[in-house]
Amino acid sequence: MVKKIVRESGARPARMPAAERRELILQAATAVFAERGYSGATTDQVAKAAHISQPYVVRMFGTKENLFLEALDRALGKLMDSFRSVIADYDAGRLAGKVALLDPDKGSSREVQLKQLMSLAYADLVQDRGILLMMMQSFIAGHEPVIGACARDGFVGIYRLVRDEAGLGEEMTRDFLAHGMLMNTLISLRLTDLYETNSAVAELLECTMGAKLPLLFASGKAG
Amino acid sequence: MVKKIVRESGARPARMPAAERRELILQAATAVFAERGYSGATTDQVAKAAHISQPYVVRMFGTKENLFLEALDRALGKLMDSFRSVIADYDAGRLAGKVALLDPDKGSSREVQLKQLMSLAYADLVQDRGILLMMMQSFIAGHEPVIGACARDGFVGIYRLVRDEAGLGEEMTRDFLAHGMLMNTLISLRLTDLYETNSAVAELLECTMGAKLPLLFASGKAG
DNA sequence: AGTTGAGGTAATTGGATGATTACTTATCAG
DNA sequence: CTGATAAGTAATCATCCAATTACCTCAACT
């Protein structure tokens, strides 16, 4: 007679519908992939972060690669949704108050104002700490056959959105993306760790993030 | 009696002094780490790229982590040497010809001219394809205890060099770094693969790389 | 010629890790 | 109450990979 296994030490996870669990796993995967990259992350780390067993992660997404792709898609979607809603709100006049704060003289063109607003939206996304770094990890995985292709598509999609939908034009879009990449790098590098002890770092962070710097220190807390 | 192993199929590697072999391995490691990142690369891939055995790679550098650190150090050194020699040459008046080409009116300040010259030097480094991507891989490994710390030091070193030794000041240095990060991203993403088929990509590449775009397509051939 | 040490490899190992299999258990419709 | 199905796990496998061990073999110097 095999001894009946009695579940001890309470930590039994709550059951929930698959769709809901899916989102939790994607959140966990985003955080783990963001820190460790595609190769550096393990499905077990994702499972632990989602408080669930490793086999379930694999079974729900098929492969680690597919999990990464879905997390990437989710991150890209959040970024683009955020930008699109900025554009829509701006064009509907719903951001007049914010614009007045950023640009009291109202001397800037639509593009310049939109650029500032999207920078703000971008910095807001930092609070998740996963979303942006997840994308960054995909951008340097260009050599991976499938992930690389999706990353390229995603990047081009962002370029088109900023250049055409927001209407920033070539050079302004390039500069916008460049500063985004610098922000991503500073965050991923964890330069914030040196903020107190290194005045050059403090200067660079303040100069790059501007008023949005506090968001960086608060990052990681939001879901 | 154990059968004497006779070396067949000639491919026996040439012997060479350890210091020389070391540099070859570092070159190979730079290329491999640049493409696949720290976690994604294997010591065996480095060994194959250097045409030697995997155990020898490990024995010569102790650990994979240490190999990465030495390759990173080498890459950072090359970049900073390159910038420093631009600065020295400029201040010694040895770049008058180049400056005249970039800035026919001679209307720009020292900082602006130096910035352009350093951008040029940066783009020259692209030809290796390993140097810059190696650094980029280290920048997104901020969570690794040892590698992350070295990457932070390296980044801050570059910032100081550009801001203080070249004298670009805060904002200009920030913009310089931002565009460098964008270039790194475009290269790592292999957006060049889409240059022919995607006009938005062609536009972005031309806008970002300017006259230096051909260097990008020629990259990977140099040692 | 013989020894020695540096340059190198084959074989192996132990741990990690993505994936699979075979279960268990909760929930809910009838 | 009772299947049936969906949610979830334990155990295990096969593979990969960094690191170790135990060698081999030239070249240089007595």
Side-chain angles (χ1 to χ4, degrees):
Chain A
M1 192 54 122
V2 180
K3 191 174 177 188
K4 186 80 172 278
I5 293 176
V6 177
R7 183 172 289 281
E8 34 205 311
S9 78
R12 120 189 63 180
R15 258 177 171 240
M16 67 179 66
E20 200 172 324
R21 182 67 77 189
R22 216 183 156 76
E23 171 60 18
L24 286 184
I25 297 179
L26 281 175
Q27 279 177 27
T30 300
V32 173
F33 282 132
E35 291 302 324
R36 323 184 85 97
Y38 174 61
S39 310
T42 74
T43 54
D44 194 54
Q45 287 163 351
V46 173
K48 292 235 162 67
H51 306 291
I52 208 173
S53 73
Q54 180 263 344
Y56 195 37
V57 171
V58 172
R59 223 192 30 181
M60 183 164 268
F61 292 90
T63 63
K64 175 180 161 180
E65 183 178 65
N66 194 58
L67 173 60
F68 187 92
L69 289 174
E70 295 209 28
L72 174 57
D73 222 57
R74 179 174 166 278
L76 284 166
K78 290 211 176 207
L79 178 71
M80 298 182 76
D81 283 356
S82 165
F83 283 175
R84 286 208 170 96
S85 84
V86 165
I87 298 169
D89 285 352
Y90 179 90
D91 286 336
R94 286 191 290 268
L95 295 179
K98 247 183 194 171
V99 171
L101 281 175
L102 288 171
D103 184 22
D105 307 337
K106 303 194 188 241
S108 306
S109 61
R110 181 192 119 106
E111 308 95 74
V112 172
Q113 290 184 341
L114 263 180
K115 183 184 172 186
Q116 289 178 294
L117 290 167
M118 288 195 301
S119 284
L120 218 59
Y122 194 80
D124 270 341
L125 282 174
V126 164
Q127 290 185 80
D128 197 313
R129 192 179 163 82
I131 304 288
L132 300 185
L133 295 189
M134 172 86 226
M135 291 189 300
M136 198 64 184
Q137 293 287 357
S138 83
F139 294 158
I140 58 151
H143 90 104
E144 294 268 344
V146 185
I147 292 173
C150 288
R152 281 185 284 278
D153 285 354
F155 192 89
V156 173
I158 295 171
Y159 177 71
R160 287 211 157 104
L161 170 51
V162 175
R163 195 200 53 170
D164 300 335
E165 295 184 41
L168 295 208
E170 293 182 31
E171 268 119 22
M172 219 168 183
T173 302
R174 176 198 59 196
D175 295 349
F176 180 78
L177 293 179
H179 281 81
M181 293 305 135
L182 178 59
M183 283 177 50
N184 288 344
T185 307
L186 301 181
I187 297 165
S188 184
L189 250 185
R190 297 171 174 266
L191 267 195
T192 42
D193 290 1
L194 302 179
Y195 182 80
E196 304 286 348
T197 61
N198 187 318
S199 63
V201 167
E203 188 185 284
L204 173 59
L205 284 172
E206 279 159 12
C207 179
T208 306
M209 304 295 300
K212 297 156 284 186
L213 184 53
L215 294 178
L216 227 176
F217 285 102
S219 87
K221 274 105 184 174
Chain B
M1 188 60 114
V2 179
K3 191 174 178 185
K4 185 81 170 278
I5 292 175
V6 178
R7 180 176 289 281
E8 35 204 309
S9 79
R12 116 191 64 181
R15 266 177 166 235
M16 69 177 64
E20 202 172 322
R21 183 67 77 189
R22 219 183 153 74
E23 171 60 18
L24 286 183
I25 297 178
L26 282 175
Q27 279 176 27
T30 301
V32 173
F33 282 132
E35 291 303 323
R36 321 184 87 98
Y38 173 61
S39 309
T42 73
T43 55
D44 195 54
Q45 288 162 350
V46 173
K48 292 233 163 63
H51 306 291
I52 55 165
S53 71
Q54 180 261 344
Y56 195 37
V57 172
V58 173
R59 221 190 35 181
M60 184 163 268
F61 291 91
T63 64
K64 175 181 162 180
E65 182 179 66
N66 194 58
L67 172 59
F68 187 92
L69 289 174
E70 295 209 28
L72 173 58
D73 221 58
R74 178 174 166 279
L76 285 166
K78 290 211 175 208
L79 178 71
M80 298 182 77
D81 284 356
S82 165
F83 283 175
R84 287 208 169 95
S85 83
V86 165
I87 299 170
D89 285 352
Y90 179 90
D91 285 337
R94 287 191 289 268
L95 294 179
K98 247 182 194 171
V99 171
L101 283 175
L102 289 171
D103 184 22
D105 309 335
K106 301 191 190 246
S108 306
S109 60
R110 182 192 117 106
E111 308 94 73
V112 172
Q113 290 184 341
L114 263 180
K115 183 184 172 185
Q116 287 177 296
L117 290 166
M118 288 196 303
S119 283
L120 217 58
Y122 194 80
D124 271 340
L125 281 174
V126 164
Q127 290 185 77
D128 197 313
R129 192 178 164 85
I131 303 289
L132 300 184
L133 295 189
M134 172 87 225
M135 291 189 300
M136 199 62 184
Q137 293 287 356
S138 83
F139 294 157
I140 57 148
H143 89 104
E144 294 267 343
V146 184
I147 292 172
C150 288
R152 281 186 284 277
D153 285 354
F155 191 89
V156 172
I158 295 170
Y159 177 71
R160 288 210 156 104
L161 171 51
V162 175
R163 195 199 54 171
D164 299 335
E165 295 183 40
L168 295 206
E170 292 181 32
E171 269 120 22
M172 219 169 184
T173 301
R174 177 199 59 197
D175 295 349
F176 179 78
L177 293 179
H179 281 81
M181 292 306 134
L182 177 58
M183 283 175 51
N184 289 342
T185 307
L186 300 182
I187 297 165
S188 185
L189 249 186
R190 297 172 175 266
L191 267 196
T192 43
D193 291 1
L194 302 179
Y195 182 79
E196 304 287 348
T197 60
N198 187 317
S199 63
V201 167
E203 188 185 283
L204 173 59
L205 284 172
E206 279 159 14
C207 179
T208 306
M209 304 295 300
K212 297 156 285 186
L213 183 54
L215 294 177
L216 227 175
F217 285 102
S219 86
K221 275 103 184 175

